[in-house]
């Protein structure tokens, strides 16, 4: 059966965002006034989507975005000694080390591979929970994946491309984590992309409360639920916070 997974990349602006400072697991700040407005705008944008499951980071800024959680997991990243420092300093560290941003890992920080392992662990937990809760409602081993959309518009309605999908999951996460997750979906899980997709845009940081939408097709294999297809509906949509 098909699952609509809506990933909100970032939870909303904090004062550190505004000041150009890095924040990961060690910095747990509340949303700024602008961040609260962004969170309200995201909630209003998604008001007509009836989510059956909600998964969120355990950071305060994510909890403020959606307090009605079914599972709370750590889905942000650690920047090690760069935590709390200026973003420009982080970029300078990467350049001095001869590495690219945001792929650079500062001392004490998580590597891209470590973050990817947590992405895989979270995806597995999500699939098993949703499969166990909703498989009996579908009564089928698998529902065929629908055709990919022709484009991935930056603006549109919250239910674009997912109106006929029976199960809707919301994942509230953070930008650095989503960079790794999207790359994993595309490069290793062979996520089907809308025609004309720009990979440079797909692998970039999402704006605060930016929305990414994926359709996941599950099938039951013995006593487990496995992912048989993955399709991107749209990526980094942020028109709901435009003034």
């Amino acid at each position: 059966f098909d699952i609509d997974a809506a990933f909100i990349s970032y939870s909303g602006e904090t004062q550190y965002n505004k000041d150009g400072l890095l924040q990961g697991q060690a910095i747990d700040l509340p949303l700024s006034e602008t961040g609260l407005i962004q969170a309200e705008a995201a909630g209003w944008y998604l008001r007509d989507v009836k989510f059956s499951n909600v998964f969120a980071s355990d950071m305060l800024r994510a909890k403020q975005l959606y307090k009605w959680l079914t599972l709370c997991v750590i889905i942000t990243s650690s920047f090690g000694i760069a935590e709390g420092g200026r973003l420009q300093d982080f970029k300078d560290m990467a350049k001095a080390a001869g590495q690219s941003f945001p792929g650079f890992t500062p001392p004490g920080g998580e590597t891209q591979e470590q973050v990817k392992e947590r992405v895989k662990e979270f995806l597995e937990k999500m699939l098993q929970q949703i499969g166990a809760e909703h498989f009996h409602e579908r009564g089928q081993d698998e529902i065929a994946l629908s055709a990919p959309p022709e484009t991935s518009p930056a603006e549109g309605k919250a239910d674009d491309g997912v109106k006929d999908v029976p199960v809707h999951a919301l994942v509230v996460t953070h930008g650095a984590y989503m960079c790794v997750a999207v790359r994993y979906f595309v490069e290793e899980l062979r996520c089907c992309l809308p025609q004309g997709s720009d990979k440079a845009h797909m692998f970039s940081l999402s704006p605060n409360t930016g929305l990414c939408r994926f359709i996941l097709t599950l099938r039951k294999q013995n006593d487990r639920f496995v992912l048989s297809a993955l399709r991107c509906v749209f990526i980094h949509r942020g028109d709901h916070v435009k003034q």
Side-chain angles (χ1 to χ4, degrees):
F1 60 97
D2 286 349
I3 298 171
D4 155 44
F7 287 76
I8 292 190
S9 308
Y10 280 26
S11 47
E13 184 195 76
T14 68
Q15 189 62 43
Y16 265 42
N17 287 149
K18 187 175 181 179
D19 294 340
L21 302 176
L22 287 172
Q23 57 182 345
Q25 295 178 8
I27 306 294
D28 196 11
L29 295 177
L31 295 176
S32 64
E33 183 176 345
T34 296
L36 291 171
I37 294 173
Q38 291 171 339
E40 182 179 0
W44 182 254
Y45 180 72
L46 294 168
R47 66 190 182 281
D48 294 328
V49 180
K50 306 301 181 183
F51 289 106
S52 49
N53 297 81
V54 179
F55 304 87
S57 163
D58 63 352
M59 305 303 287
L60 177 60
R61 53 191 182 274
K63 289 182 178 180
Q64 284 183 287
L65 181 55
Y66 284 102
K67 297 180 180 178
W68 33 286
L69 310 177
T70 60
L71 178 65
C72 194
V73 293
I74 296 177
I75 45 180
T76 186
S77 305
S78 171
F79 295 106
I81 65 170
E83 192 94 21
R86 296 190 310 141
L87 179 59
Q88 186 57 52
D89 291 340
F90 182 86
K91 293 180 178 180
D92 292 342
M93 290 172 64
K95 184 177 180 180
Q99 298 184 32
S100 62
F101 171 82
F104 171 66
T105 302
E110 280 188 299
T111 65
Q112 300 289 293
E113 192 64 30
Q114 288 173 323
V115 177
K116 185 178 72 173
E117 285 303 309
R118 291 200 292 109
V119 170
K120 293 165 68 174
E121 291 173 5
F122 167 72
L123 184 61
E124 174 66 15
K125 290 179 181 179
M126 183 180 76
L127 297 183
Q128 299 314 310
Q129 177 175 324
I130 292 179
E133 292 178 0
H134 301 284
F135 179 76
H136 67 281
E137 300 171 2
R138 306 310 306 159
Q140 299 183 44
D141 289 335
E142 178 178 308
I143 295 178
L145 183 69
S146 55
E150 293 186 357
T151 60
S152 180
E155 300 183 5
K157 297 181 179 179
D159 60 357
D160 285 347
V162 299
K163 292 180 180 179
D164 298 326
V165 179
V167 179
H168 299 276
L170 176 67
V171 181
V172 184
T173 182
H174 303 269
Y177 182 94
M178 269 306 298
C179 274
V180 177
V182 171
R183 186 175 290 274
Y184 171 63
F185 293 167
V186 174
E187 295 183 345
E188 298 190 35
L189 298 185
R190 305 301 181 193
C191 177
C192 182
L193 305 178
Q195 295 179 16
S197 295
D198 179 358
K199 285 191 177 181
H201 172 65
M202 292 199 70
F203 296 157
S204 65
L205 285 173
S206 189
N208 286 329
T209 67
L211 187 65
C212 303
R213 214 66 180 262
F214 300 90
I215 302 295
L216 294 76
T217 300
L218 272 64
R219 62 183 175 86
K220 194 169 186 180
Q221 182 174 294
N222 298 322
D223 295 329
R224 296 180 61 256
F225 296 93
V226 297
L227 183 68
S228 59
L230 178 62
R231 174 169 66 88
C232 176
V233 181
F234 55 77
I235 199 86
H236 303 328
R237 182 176 285 180
D239 56 303
H240 51 282
V241 295
K242 291 181 179 179
Q243 300 300 321

